[in-house]
Each structure stands twice: as structure tokens, then as C-alpha cells.
PDB file of all heavy atoms in Angstrom:
ATOM      1  N   ARG A 219      -1.201  -5.541   1.875  1.00  0.00           N
ATOM      2  CA  ARG A 219      -0.194  -6.433   1.814  1.00  0.00           C
ATOM      3  C   ARG A 219      -0.569  -7.734   2.484  1.00  0.00           C
ATOM      4  O   ARG A 219      -0.359  -8.776   1.846  1.00  0.00           O
ATOM      5  CB  ARG A 219       1.115  -5.843   2.524  1.00  0.00           C
ATOM      6  CG  ARG A 219       1.791  -4.768   1.777  1.00  0.00           C
ATOM      7  CD  ARG A 219       3.057  -4.399   2.447  1.00  0.00           C
ATOM      8  NE  ARG A 219       3.801  -3.296   1.988  1.00  0.00           N
ATOM      9  CZ  ARG A 219       3.527  -2.002   2.499  1.00  0.00           C
ATOM     10  NH1 ARG A 219       2.963  -1.762   3.732  1.00  0.00           N
ATOM     11  NH2 ARG A 219       4.218  -0.892   2.067  1.00  0.00           N
ATOM     12  N   GLU A 220      -1.338  -7.618   3.604  1.00  0.00           N
ATOM     13  CA  GLU A 220      -1.626  -8.866   4.242  1.00  0.00           C
ATOM     14  C   GLU A 220      -2.770  -9.685   3.364  1.00  0.00           C
ATOM     15  O   GLU A 220      -2.682 -10.877   3.379  1.00  0.00           O
ATOM     16  CB  GLU A 220      -2.169  -8.601   5.635  1.00  0.00           C
ATOM     17  CG  GLU A 220      -1.320  -8.123   6.654  1.00  0.00           C
ATOM     18  CD  GLU A 220      -1.953  -7.539   7.944  1.00  0.00           C
ATOM     19  OE1 GLU A 220      -3.173  -8.186   8.060  1.00  0.00           O
ATOM     20  OE2 GLU A 220      -1.409  -6.835   8.568  1.00  0.00           O
ATOM     21  N   LEU A 221      -3.640  -8.960   2.810  1.00  0.00           N
ATOM     22  CA  LEU A 221      -4.682  -9.614   2.087  1.00  0.00           C
ATOM     23  C   LEU A 221      -4.249 -10.331   0.829  1.00  0.00           C
ATOM     24  O   LEU A 221      -4.750 -11.438   0.493  1.00  0.00           O
ATOM     25  CB  LEU A 221      -5.747  -8.630   1.645  1.00  0.00           C
ATOM     26  CG  LEU A 221      -6.837  -8.073   2.629  1.00  0.00           C
ATOM     27  CD1 LEU A 221      -7.751  -7.260   2.011  1.00  0.00           C
ATOM     28  CD2 LEU A 221      -7.480  -9.267   3.408  1.00  0.00           C
ATOM     29  N   GLY A 222      -3.148  -9.717   0.176  1.00  0.00           N
ATOM     30  CA  GLY A 222      -2.556 -10.488  -0.951  1.00  0.00           C
ATOM     31  C   GLY A 222      -3.540 -10.400  -2.118  1.00  0.00           C
ATOM     32  O   GLY A 222      -4.052 -11.397  -2.744  1.00  0.00           O
ATOM     33  N   LEU A 223      -3.957  -9.167  -2.579  1.00  0.00           N
ATOM     34  CA  LEU A 223      -4.987  -8.978  -3.626  1.00  0.00           C
ATOM     35  C   LEU A 223      -4.287  -9.248  -5.035  1.00  0.00           C
ATOM     36  O   LEU A 223      -3.208  -8.843  -5.160  1.00  0.00           O
ATOM     37  CB  LEU A 223      -5.446  -7.497  -3.633  1.00  0.00           C
ATOM     38  CG  LEU A 223      -6.105  -7.028  -2.453  1.00  0.00           C
ATOM     39  CD1 LEU A 223      -6.466  -5.622  -2.412  1.00  0.00           C
ATOM     40  CD2 LEU A 223      -7.456  -7.854  -2.154  1.00  0.00           C
ATOM     41  N   LEU A 224      -5.104  -9.883  -5.862  1.00  0.00           N
ATOM     42  CA  LEU A 224      -4.616 -10.091  -7.155  1.00  0.00           C
ATOM     43  C   LEU A 224      -4.601  -8.766  -7.967  1.00  0.00           C
ATOM     44  O   LEU A 224      -3.788  -8.594  -8.843  1.00  0.00           O
ATOM     45  CB  LEU A 224      -5.559 -11.134  -7.968  1.00  0.00           C
ATOM     46  CG  LEU A 224      -5.152 -11.513  -9.367  1.00  0.00           C
ATOM     47  CD1 LEU A 224      -3.824 -12.198  -9.376  1.00  0.00           C
ATOM     48  CD2 LEU A 224      -6.140 -12.448  -9.962  1.00  0.00           C
ATOM     49  N   ASP A 225      -5.552  -7.889  -7.646  1.00  0.00           N
ATOM     50  CA  ASP A 225      -5.517  -6.494  -8.370  1.00  0.00           C
ATOM     51  C   ASP A 225      -6.412  -5.686  -7.559  1.00  0.00           C
ATOM     52  O   ASP A 225      -7.139  -6.084  -6.580  1.00  0.00           O
ATOM     53  CB  ASP A 225      -6.162  -6.716  -9.778  1.00  0.00           C
ATOM     54  CG  ASP A 225      -5.635  -5.756 -10.666  1.00  0.00           C
ATOM     55  OD1 ASP A 225      -4.945  -4.631 -10.232  1.00  0.00           O
ATOM     56  OD2 ASP A 225      -5.652  -5.864 -11.926  1.00  0.00           O
ATOM     57  N   ALA A 226      -6.345  -4.378  -7.791  1.00  0.00           N
ATOM     58  CA  ALA A 226      -7.232  -3.431  -7.051  1.00  0.00           C
ATOM     59  C   ALA A 226      -7.508  -2.282  -7.910  1.00  0.00           C
ATOM     60  O   ALA A 226      -6.635  -1.874  -8.718  1.00  0.00           O
ATOM     61  CB  ALA A 226      -6.516  -3.045  -5.792  1.00  0.00           C
ATOM     62  N   HIS A 227      -8.756  -1.699  -7.697  1.00  0.00           N
ATOM     63  CA  HIS A 227      -9.074  -0.354  -8.426  1.00  0.00           C
ATOM     64  C   HIS A 227      -8.896   0.676  -7.278  1.00  0.00           C
ATOM     65  O   HIS A 227      -9.506   0.739  -6.264  1.00  0.00           O
ATOM     66  CB  HIS A 227     -10.499  -0.391  -8.968  1.00  0.00           C
ATOM     67  CG  HIS A 227     -10.841  -1.417  -9.971  1.00  0.00           C
ATOM     68  ND1 HIS A 227     -11.907  -2.019  -9.947  1.00  0.00           N
ATOM     69  CD2 HIS A 227     -10.001  -1.776 -10.776  1.00  0.00           C
ATOM     70  CE1 HIS A 227     -11.928  -2.752 -11.114  1.00  0.00           C
ATOM     71  NE2 HIS A 227     -10.750  -2.722 -11.516  1.00  0.00           N
ATOM     72  N   VAL A 228      -7.804   1.445  -7.396  1.00  0.00           N
ATOM     73  CA  VAL A 228      -7.419   2.463  -6.465  1.00  0.00           C
ATOM     74  C   VAL A 228      -8.023   3.766  -6.771  1.00  0.00           C
ATOM     75  O   VAL A 228      -7.560   4.309  -8.023  1.00  0.00           O
ATOM     76  CB  VAL A 228      -5.908   2.652  -6.145  1.00  0.00           C
ATOM     77  CG1 VAL A 228      -5.535   3.599  -5.229  1.00  0.00           C
ATOM     78  CG2 VAL A 228      -5.389   1.170  -5.695  1.00  0.00           C
ATOM     79  N   PHE A 229      -8.743   4.406  -6.151  1.00  0.00           N
ATOM     80  CA  PHE A 229      -9.448   5.728  -6.323  1.00  0.00           C
ATOM     81  C   PHE A 229      -9.006   6.779  -5.401  1.00  0.00           C
ATOM     82  O   PHE A 229      -9.071   6.588  -4.205  1.00  0.00           O
ATOM     83  CB  PHE A 229     -10.904   5.656  -6.369  1.00  0.00           C
ATOM     84  CG  PHE A 229     -11.574   4.544  -7.221  1.00  0.00           C
ATOM     85  CD1 PHE A 229     -11.742   3.289  -6.668  1.00  0.00           C
ATOM     86  CD2 PHE A 229     -11.919   4.839  -8.468  1.00  0.00           C
ATOM     87  CE1 PHE A 229     -12.323   2.343  -7.433  1.00  0.00           C
ATOM     88  CE2 PHE A 229     -12.518   3.913  -9.251  1.00  0.00           C
ATOM     89  CZ  PHE A 229     -12.755   2.541  -8.813  1.00  0.00           C
ATOM     90  N   ALA A 230      -8.693   8.002  -5.924  1.00  0.00           N
ATOM     91  CA  ALA A 230      -8.440   9.101  -5.137  1.00  0.00           C
ATOM     92  C   ALA A 230      -9.852   9.643  -4.744  1.00  0.00           C
ATOM     93  O   ALA A 230     -10.801   9.810  -5.524  1.00  0.00           O
ATOM     94  CB  ALA A 230      -7.583  10.274  -5.738  1.00  0.00           C
ATOM     95  N   TYR A 231     -10.082   9.804  -3.356  1.00  0.00           N
ATOM     96  CA  TYR A 231     -11.422  10.352  -2.926  1.00  0.00           C
ATOM     97  C   TYR A 231     -11.808  11.657  -3.701  1.00  0.00           C
ATOM     98  O   TYR A 231     -11.018  12.582  -3.962  1.00  0.00           O
ATOM     99  CB  TYR A 231     -11.333  10.725  -1.581  1.00  0.00           C
ATOM    100  CG  TYR A 231     -12.529  11.486  -1.098  1.00  0.00           C
ATOM    101  CD1 TYR A 231     -13.768  10.836  -0.905  1.00  0.00           C
ATOM    102  CD2 TYR A 231     -12.473  12.881  -0.858  1.00  0.00           C
ATOM    103  CE1 TYR A 231     -14.883  11.714  -0.495  1.00  0.00           C
ATOM    104  CE2 TYR A 231     -13.556  13.648  -0.439  1.00  0.00           C
ATOM    105  CZ  TYR A 231     -14.783  12.993  -0.292  1.00  0.00           C
ATOM    106  OH  TYR A 231     -15.845  13.802   0.029  1.00  0.00           O
ATOM    107  N   SER A 232     -13.016  11.615  -4.222  1.00  0.00           N
ATOM    108  CA  SER A 232     -13.503  12.696  -5.158  1.00  0.00           C
ATOM    109  C   SER A 232     -14.776  13.342  -4.236  1.00  0.00           C
ATOM    110  O   SER A 232     -15.612  12.648  -3.980  1.00  0.00           O
ATOM    111  CB  SER A 232     -14.047  12.140  -6.404  1.00  0.00           C
ATOM    112  OG  SER A 232     -14.587  13.266  -7.241  1.00  0.00           O
ATOM    113  N   LYS A 233     -14.654  14.528  -3.995  1.00  0.00           N
ATOM    114  CA  LYS A 233     -15.574  15.207  -3.238  1.00  0.00           C
ATOM    115  C   LYS A 233     -17.023  15.323  -3.997  1.00  0.00           C
ATOM    116  O   LYS A 233     -17.010  15.793  -5.119  1.00  0.00           O
ATOM    117  CB  LYS A 233     -15.064  16.614  -2.943  1.00  0.00           C
ATOM    118  CG  LYS A 233     -15.982  17.438  -1.856  1.00  0.00           C
ATOM    119  CD  LYS A 233     -15.299  18.802  -1.619  1.00  0.00           C
ATOM    120  CE  LYS A 233     -16.167  19.576  -0.470  1.00  0.00           C
ATOM    121  NZ  LYS A 233     -15.469  20.813  -0.279  1.00  0.00           N
ATOM    122  N   ARG A 234     -18.026  14.723  -3.445  1.00  0.00           N
ATOM    123  CA  ARG A 234     -19.280  14.731  -4.046  1.00  0.00           C
ATOM    124  C   ARG A 234     -20.260  15.561  -3.183  1.00  0.00           C
ATOM    125  O   ARG A 234     -20.680  15.260  -2.062  1.00  0.00           O
ATOM    126  CB  ARG A 234     -19.810  13.287  -4.128  1.00  0.00           C
ATOM    127  CG  ARG A 234     -21.215  13.072  -4.732  1.00  0.00           C
ATOM    128  CD  ARG A 234     -21.046  13.511  -6.154  1.00  0.00           C
ATOM    129  NE  ARG A 234     -22.316  13.409  -6.957  1.00  0.00           N
ATOM    130  CZ  ARG A 234     -23.367  14.300  -6.904  1.00  0.00           C
ATOM    131  NH1 ARG A 234     -23.294  15.336  -6.106  1.00  0.00           N
ATOM    132  NH2 ARG A 234     -24.348  14.058  -7.709  1.00  0.00           N
ATOM    133  N   GLU A 235     -20.785  16.659  -3.747  1.00  0.00           N
ATOM    134  CA  GLU A 235     -21.657  17.630  -3.050  1.00  0.00           C
ATOM    135  C   GLU A 235     -22.900  16.757  -2.652  1.00  0.00           C
ATOM    136  O   GLU A 235     -23.382  16.008  -3.510  1.00  0.00           O
ATOM    137  CB  GLU A 235     -22.076  18.811  -4.010  1.00  0.00           C
ATOM    138  CG  GLU A 235     -20.727  19.743  -4.232  1.00  0.00           C
ATOM    139  CD  GLU A 235     -20.147  20.280  -2.973  1.00  0.00           C
ATOM    140  OE1 GLU A 235     -20.929  20.410  -1.945  1.00  0.00           O
ATOM    141  OE2 GLU A 235     -18.869  20.430  -2.710  1.00  0.00           O
ATOM    142  N   GLY A 236     -23.517  17.132  -1.603  1.00  0.00           N
ATOM    143  CA  GLY A 236     -24.706  16.417  -1.229  1.00  0.00           C
ATOM    144  C   GLY A 236     -24.435  15.198  -0.307  1.00  0.00           C
ATOM    145  O   GLY A 236     -25.370  14.579   0.173  1.00  0.00           O
ATOM    146  N   THR A 237     -23.084  14.850  -0.036  1.00  0.00           N
ATOM    147  CA  THR A 237     -22.822  13.710   0.830  1.00  0.00           C
ATOM    148  C   THR A 237     -22.163  14.285   2.274  1.00  0.00           C
ATOM    149  O   THR A 237     -21.783  15.415   2.241  1.00  0.00           O
ATOM    150  CB  THR A 237     -21.684  12.769   0.173  1.00  0.00           C
ATOM    151  OG1 THR A 237     -20.527  13.545  -0.028  1.00  0.00           O
ATOM    152  CG2 THR A 237     -22.276  12.252  -1.076  1.00  0.00           C
ATOM    153  N   VAL A 238     -22.250  13.435   3.233  1.00  0.00           N
ATOM    154  CA  VAL A 238     -21.662  13.786   4.444  1.00  0.00           C
ATOM    155  C   VAL A 238     -20.260  14.184   4.309  1.00  0.00           C
ATOM    156  O   VAL A 238     -19.801  15.187   4.935  1.00  0.00           O
ATOM    157  CB  VAL A 238     -21.919  12.730   5.509  1.00  0.00           C
ATOM    158  CG1 VAL A 238     -21.234  12.919   6.788  1.00  0.00           C
ATOM    159  CG2 VAL A 238     -23.415  12.440   5.707  1.00  0.00           C
ATOM    160  N   ALA A 239     -19.506  13.389   3.587  1.00  0.00           N
ATOM    161  CA  ALA A 239     -18.108  13.634   3.420  1.00  0.00           C
ATOM    162  C   ALA A 239     -17.611  14.896   2.852  1.00  0.00           C
ATOM    163  O   ALA A 239     -16.656  15.520   3.182  1.00  0.00           O
ATOM    164  CB  ALA A 239     -17.412  12.351   2.752  1.00  0.00           C
ATOM    165  N   ALA A 240     -18.519  15.408   1.938  1.00  0.00           N
ATOM    166  CA  ALA A 240     -18.183  16.665   1.356  1.00  0.00           C
ATOM    167  C   ALA A 240     -18.201  17.826   2.381  1.00  0.00           C
ATOM    168  O   ALA A 240     -17.460  18.777   2.105  1.00  0.00           O
ATOM    169  CB  ALA A 240     -19.190  16.872   0.249  1.00  0.00           C
ATOM    170  N   ALA A 241     -18.792  17.711   3.385  1.00  0.00           N
ATOM    171  CA  ALA A 241     -18.844  18.810   4.386  1.00  0.00           C
ATOM    172  C   ALA A 241     -17.980  18.504   5.550  1.00  0.00           C
ATOM    173  O   ALA A 241     -17.776  19.394   6.445  1.00  0.00           O
ATOM    174  CB  ALA A 241     -20.334  18.904   4.991  1.00  0.00           C
ATOM    175  N   MET A 242     -17.146  17.443   5.546  1.00  0.00           N
ATOM    176  CA  MET A 242     -16.200  17.150   6.593  1.00  0.00           C
ATOM    177  C   MET A 242     -14.983  18.142   6.446  1.00  0.00           C
ATOM    178  O   MET A 242     -14.515  18.534   5.435  1.00  0.00           O
ATOM    179  CB  MET A 242     -15.625  15.679   6.406  1.00  0.00           C
ATOM    180  CG  MET A 242     -16.597  14.693   6.847  1.00  0.00           C
ATOM    181  SD  MET A 242     -15.948  12.929   6.626  1.00  0.00           S
ATOM    182  CE  MET A 242     -17.145  11.996   7.272  1.00  0.00           C
ATOM    183  N   LYS A 243     -14.452  18.490   7.612  1.00  0.00           N
ATOM    184  CA  LYS A 243     -13.246  19.047   7.786  1.00  0.00           C
ATOM    185  C   LYS A 243     -12.106  18.206   7.424  1.00  0.00           C
ATOM    186  O   LYS A 243     -12.234  17.084   7.173  1.00  0.00           O
ATOM    187  CB  LYS A 243     -13.050  19.804   9.112  1.00  0.00           C
ATOM    188  CG  LYS A 243     -14.239  20.749   9.515  1.00  0.00           C
ATOM    189  CD  LYS A 243     -13.954  21.294  10.914  1.00  0.00           C
ATOM    190  CE  LYS A 243     -15.122  22.222  11.177  1.00  0.00           C
ATOM    191  NZ  LYS A 243     -14.951  22.820  12.634  1.00  0.00           N
ATOM    192  N   GLU A 244     -10.792  18.765   7.235  1.00  0.00           N
ATOM    193  CA  GLU A 244      -9.597  18.032   6.963  1.00  0.00           C
ATOM    194  C   GLU A 244      -9.657  17.225   5.716  1.00  0.00           C
ATOM    195  O   GLU A 244      -9.328  16.146   5.547  1.00  0.00           O
ATOM    196  CB  GLU A 244      -9.336  16.932   8.145  1.00  0.00           C
ATOM    197  CG  GLU A 244      -9.162  17.541   9.456  1.00  0.00           C
ATOM    198  CD  GLU A 244      -8.916  16.380  10.521  1.00  0.00           C
ATOM    199  OE1 GLU A 244      -7.766  15.844  10.511  1.00  0.00           O
ATOM    200  OE2 GLU A 244      -9.782  16.160  11.331  1.00  0.00           O
ATOM    201  N   GLN A 245     -10.124  17.954   4.670  1.00  0.00           N
ATOM    202  CA  GLN A 245     -10.081  17.467   3.245  1.00  0.00           C
ATOM    203  C   GLN A 245      -8.606  17.220   2.941  1.00  0.00           C
ATOM    204  O   GLN A 245      -7.834  18.141   3.226  1.00  0.00           O
ATOM    205  CB  GLN A 245     -10.861  18.390   2.284  1.00  0.00           C
ATOM    206  CG  GLN A 245     -12.337  18.568   2.563  1.00  0.00           C
ATOM    207  CD  GLN A 245     -13.124  17.390   2.218  1.00  0.00           C
ATOM    208  OE1 GLN A 245     -12.759  16.634   1.186  1.00  0.00           O
ATOM    209  NE2 GLN A 245     -14.224  17.154   2.804  1.00  0.00           N
ATOM    210  N   VAL A 246      -8.325  16.139   2.399  1.00  0.00           N
ATOM    211  CA  VAL A 246      -7.010  15.922   1.826  1.00  0.00           C
ATOM    212  C   VAL A 246      -6.663  16.476   0.649  1.00  0.00           C
ATOM    213  O   VAL A 246      -7.491  16.394  -0.284  1.00  0.00           O
ATOM    214  CB  VAL A 246      -6.753  14.420   1.889  1.00  0.00           C
ATOM    215  CG1 VAL A 246      -5.367  14.051   1.393  1.00  0.00           C
ATOM    216  CG2 VAL A 246      -6.975  13.728   3.115  1.00  0.00           C
ATOM    217  N   ASP A 247      -5.492  17.320   0.504  1.00  0.00           N
ATOM    218  CA  ASP A 247      -5.188  17.997  -0.745  1.00  0.00           C
ATOM    219  C   ASP A 247      -4.940  17.018  -1.863  1.00  0.00           C
ATOM    220  O   ASP A 247      -4.498  15.812  -1.752  1.00  0.00           O
ATOM    221  CB  ASP A 247      -4.008  18.897  -0.547  1.00  0.00           C
ATOM    222  CG  ASP A 247      -2.665  18.104  -0.325  1.00  0.00           C
ATOM    223  OD1 ASP A 247      -2.038  17.787  -1.198  1.00  0.00           O
ATOM    224  OD2 ASP A 247      -2.411  17.832   0.934  1.00  0.00           O
ATOM    225  N   GLU A 248      -5.102  17.415  -3.077  1.00  0.00           N
ATOM    226  CA  GLU A 248      -4.972  16.623  -4.287  1.00  0.00           C
ATOM    227  C   GLU A 248      -3.553  16.060  -4.572  1.00  0.00           C
ATOM    228  O   GLU A 248      -3.473  14.880  -4.980  1.00  0.00           O
ATOM    229  CB  GLU A 248      -5.431  17.437  -5.613  1.00  0.00           C
ATOM    230  CG  GLU A 248      -6.851  17.982  -5.639  1.00  0.00           C
ATOM    231  CD  GLU A 248      -7.760  16.782  -5.628  1.00  0.00           C
ATOM    232  OE1 GLU A 248      -7.519  15.732  -6.217  1.00  0.00           O
ATOM    233  OE2 GLU A 248      -8.849  16.973  -4.784  1.00  0.00           O
ATOM    234  N   ARG A 249      -2.554  16.919  -4.176  1.00  0.00           N
ATOM    235  CA  ARG A 249      -1.223  16.304  -4.306  1.00  0.00           C
ATOM    236  C   ARG A 249      -1.042  15.187  -3.390  1.00  0.00           C
ATOM    237  O   ARG A 249      -0.298  14.075  -3.805  1.00  0.00           O
ATOM    238  CB  ARG A 249      -0.191  17.293  -3.956  1.00  0.00           C
ATOM    239  CG  ARG A 249       1.327  17.001  -4.195  1.00  0.00           C
ATOM    240  CD  ARG A 249       2.236  18.124  -3.868  1.00  0.00           C
ATOM    241  NE  ARG A 249       3.564  17.568  -3.993  1.00  0.00           N
ATOM    242  CZ  ARG A 249       4.691  18.259  -3.599  1.00  0.00           C
ATOM    243  NH1 ARG A 249       4.539  19.527  -2.985  1.00  0.00           N
ATOM    244  NH2 ARG A 249       5.922  17.820  -3.800  1.00  0.00           N
ATOM    245  N   THR A 250      -1.455  15.155  -2.173  1.00  0.00           N
ATOM    246  CA  THR A 250      -1.303  14.003  -1.281  1.00  0.00           C
ATOM    247  C   THR A 250      -2.106  12.771  -1.873  1.00  0.00           C
ATOM    248  O   THR A 250      -1.660  11.660  -1.698  1.00  0.00           O
ATOM    249  CB  THR A 250      -1.757  14.438   0.139  1.00  0.00           C
ATOM    250  OG1 THR A 250      -0.947  15.506   0.639  1.00  0.00           O
ATOM    251  CG2 THR A 250      -1.570  13.332   1.114  1.00  0.00           C
ATOM    252  N   LYS A 251      -3.371  13.030  -2.257  1.00  0.00           N
ATOM    253  CA  LYS A 251      -4.164  11.869  -2.878  1.00  0.00           C
ATOM    254  C   LYS A 251      -3.513  11.268  -4.000  1.00  0.00           C
ATOM    255  O   LYS A 251      -3.467  10.061  -4.005  1.00  0.00           O
ATOM    256  CB  LYS A 251      -5.518  12.513  -3.182  1.00  0.00           C
ATOM    257  CG  LYS A 251      -6.391  12.764  -1.917  1.00  0.00           C
ATOM    258  CD  LYS A 251      -7.927  13.038  -2.310  1.00  0.00           C
ATOM    259  CE  LYS A 251      -8.002  14.445  -2.921  1.00  0.00           C
ATOM    260  NZ  LYS A 251      -9.509  14.683  -3.134  1.00  0.00           N
ATOM    261  N   SER A 252      -2.782  12.116  -4.857  1.00  0.00           N
ATOM    262  CA  SER A 252      -2.173  11.545  -5.989  1.00  0.00           C
ATOM    263  C   SER A 252      -0.966  10.690  -5.538  1.00  0.00           C
ATOM    264  O   SER A 252      -0.750   9.588  -6.191  1.00  0.00           O
ATOM    265  CB  SER A 252      -1.730  12.667  -6.945  1.00  0.00           C
ATOM    266  OG  SER A 252      -1.071  12.084  -8.045  1.00  0.00           O
ATOM    267  N   LYS A 253      -0.242  11.172  -4.624  1.00  0.00           N
ATOM    268  CA  LYS A 253       0.994  10.326  -4.190  1.00  0.00           C
ATOM    269  C   LYS A 253       0.581   9.198  -3.458  1.00  0.00           C
ATOM    270  O   LYS A 253       1.151   8.074  -3.717  1.00  0.00           O
ATOM    271  CB  LYS A 253       1.770  11.243  -3.076  1.00  0.00           C
ATOM    272  CG  LYS A 253       2.563  12.455  -3.821  1.00  0.00           C
ATOM    273  CD  LYS A 253       3.208  13.308  -2.731  1.00  0.00           C
ATOM    274  CE  LYS A 253       4.249  12.633  -1.912  1.00  0.00           C
ATOM    275  NZ  LYS A 253       4.903  13.555  -0.998  1.00  0.00           N
ATOM    276  N   ARG A 254      -0.480   9.190  -2.769  1.00  0.00           N
ATOM    277  CA  ARG A 254      -1.004   7.995  -1.965  1.00  0.00           C
ATOM    278  C   ARG A 254      -1.466   6.932  -3.136  1.00  0.00           C
ATOM    279  O   ARG A 254      -1.228   5.754  -2.876  1.00  0.00           O
ATOM    280  CB  ARG A 254      -2.063   8.331  -0.949  1.00  0.00           C
ATOM    281  CG  ARG A 254      -1.403   8.978   0.175  1.00  0.00           C
ATOM    282  CD  ARG A 254      -2.523   9.393   1.195  1.00  0.00           C
ATOM    283  NE  ARG A 254      -1.881  10.115   2.279  1.00  0.00           N
ATOM    284  CZ  ARG A 254      -2.554  10.791   3.372  1.00  0.00           C
ATOM    285  NH1 ARG A 254      -4.020  10.679   3.329  1.00  0.00           N
ATOM    286  NH2 ARG A 254      -2.083  11.348   4.404  1.00  0.00           N
ATOM    287  N   SER A 255      -2.217   7.408  -4.031  1.00  0.00           N
ATOM    288  CA  SER A 255      -2.644   6.521  -5.094  1.00  0.00           C
ATOM    289  C   SER A 255      -1.590   5.685  -5.643  1.00  0.00           C
ATOM    290  O   SER A 255      -1.494   4.556  -5.900  1.00  0.00           O
ATOM    291  CB  SER A 255      -3.532   7.379  -6.042  1.00  0.00           C
ATOM    292  OG  SER A 255      -4.606   7.904  -5.541  1.00  0.00           O
ATOM    293  N   ALA A 256      -0.423   6.575  -5.979  1.00  0.00           N
ATOM    294  CA  ALA A 256       0.758   5.964  -6.723  1.00  0.00           C
ATOM    295  C   ALA A 256       1.346   4.873  -5.789  1.00  0.00           C
ATOM    296  O   ALA A 256       1.709   3.813  -6.258  1.00  0.00           O
ATOM    297  CB  ALA A 256       1.722   6.991  -7.126  1.00  0.00           C
ATOM    298  N   VAL A 257       1.349   5.150  -4.549  1.00  0.00           N
ATOM    299  CA  VAL A 257       2.128   4.185  -3.613  1.00  0.00           C
ATOM    300  C   VAL A 257       1.265   2.954  -3.543  1.00  0.00           C
ATOM    301  O   VAL A 257       1.849   1.787  -3.631  1.00  0.00           O
ATOM    302  CB  VAL A 257       2.167   4.816  -2.255  1.00  0.00           C
ATOM    303  CG1 VAL A 257       2.520   3.845  -1.148  1.00  0.00           C
ATOM    304  CG2 VAL A 257       3.332   6.084  -2.178  1.00  0.00           C
ATOM    305  N   LEU A 258       0.007   3.071  -3.400  1.00  0.00           N
ATOM    306  CA  LEU A 258      -0.916   1.897  -3.084  1.00  0.00           C
ATOM    307  C   LEU A 258      -0.973   1.077  -4.306  1.00  0.00           C
ATOM    308  O   LEU A 258      -0.930  -0.205  -4.436  1.00  0.00           O
ATOM    309  CB  LEU A 258      -2.196   2.352  -2.737  1.00  0.00           C
ATOM    310  CG  LEU A 258      -3.113   1.207  -2.190  1.00  0.00           C
ATOM    311  CD1 LEU A 258      -2.494   0.415  -1.120  1.00  0.00           C
ATOM    312  CD2 LEU A 258      -4.592   1.698  -1.782  1.00  0.00           C
ATOM    313  N   ILE A 259      -0.990   1.648  -5.564  1.00  0.00           N
ATOM    314  CA  ILE A 259      -1.020   0.975  -6.832  1.00  0.00           C
ATOM    315  C   ILE A 259       0.324   0.233  -7.022  1.00  0.00           C
ATOM    316  O   ILE A 259       0.279  -0.949  -7.439  1.00  0.00           O
ATOM    317  CB  ILE A 259      -1.113   2.011  -7.998  1.00  0.00           C
ATOM    318  CG1 ILE A 259      -2.630   2.554  -8.020  1.00  0.00           C
ATOM    319  CG2 ILE A 259      -0.829   1.344  -9.365  1.00  0.00           C
ATOM    320  CD1 ILE A 259      -2.770   3.684  -8.966  1.00  0.00           C
ATOM    321  N   GLY A 260       1.406   0.839  -6.553  1.00  0.00           N
ATOM    322  CA  GLY A 260       2.626   0.053  -6.574  1.00  0.00           C
ATOM    323  C   GLY A 260       2.701  -1.137  -5.662  1.00  0.00           C
ATOM    324  O   GLY A 260       3.162  -2.171  -6.076  1.00  0.00           O
ATOM    325  N   ILE A 261       2.098  -1.080  -4.398  1.00  0.00           N
ATOM    326  CA  ILE A 261       2.012  -2.193  -3.578  1.00  0.00           C
ATOM    327  C   ILE A 261       1.165  -3.318  -4.148  1.00  0.00           C
ATOM    328  O   ILE A 261       1.492  -4.471  -4.136  1.00  0.00           O
ATOM    329  CB  ILE A 261       1.529  -1.697  -2.276  1.00  0.00           C
ATOM    330  CG1 ILE A 261       2.477  -0.869  -1.439  1.00  0.00           C
ATOM    331  CG2 ILE A 261       1.001  -2.980  -1.417  1.00  0.00           C
ATOM    332  CD1 ILE A 261       1.836  -0.144  -0.274  1.00  0.00           C
ATOM    333  N   CYS A 262       0.091  -2.966  -4.777  1.00  0.00           N
ATOM    334  CA  CYS A 262      -0.780  -3.861  -5.436  1.00  0.00           C
ATOM    335  C   CYS A 262      -0.143  -4.633  -6.623  1.00  0.00           C
ATOM    336  O   CYS A 262      -0.322  -5.755  -6.791  1.00  0.00           O
ATOM    337  CB  CYS A 262      -2.197  -3.148  -5.840  1.00  0.00           C
ATOM    338  SG  CYS A 262      -3.197  -2.582  -4.570  1.00  0.00           S
TER     339      CYS A 262
END
């Protein structure tokens, strides 16, 4: 909101095997990621 973006590409995190993040605990569930994507797209 502060930045005032003209547009944004909003991506739900996608687990990529072979990366550090793929082995992290506290993976966010797909439903939550989908809801957050929709909220942020609405703000943009």
C-alpha cells in the first residue's frame, strides 16, 4: 500500500525440490496461500 505499485505479479510460493526453502518447516498450506494471493491482488 505504501509503495503504490501500478501493478504486481503475485505468486503463491511453489515448493521447489533442491532448494533450501523446500526443506524448511512451517510450510504454508495451499488454501492459505490462495487466500493471501487473492487479498494481495485485491490491494494491488
Side-chain angles (χ1 to χ4, degrees):
R219 290 187 186 99
E220 291 175 22
L221 282 185
L223 299 174
L224 181 62
D225 211 342
H227 298 150
V228 178
F229 304 90
Y231 168 74
S232 176
K233 192 173 182 179
R234 181 60 178 84
E235 296 301 327
T237 63
V238 172
M242 287 181 175
K243 296 179 181 179
E244 300 181 71
Q245 296 285 328
V246 178
D247 65 89
E248 295 301 321
R249 184 181 177 189
T250 299
K251 286 190 284 188
S252 179
K253 287 174 64 177
R254 288 178 182 173
S255 294
V257 169
L258 191 56
I259 288 169
I261 292 170
C262 291

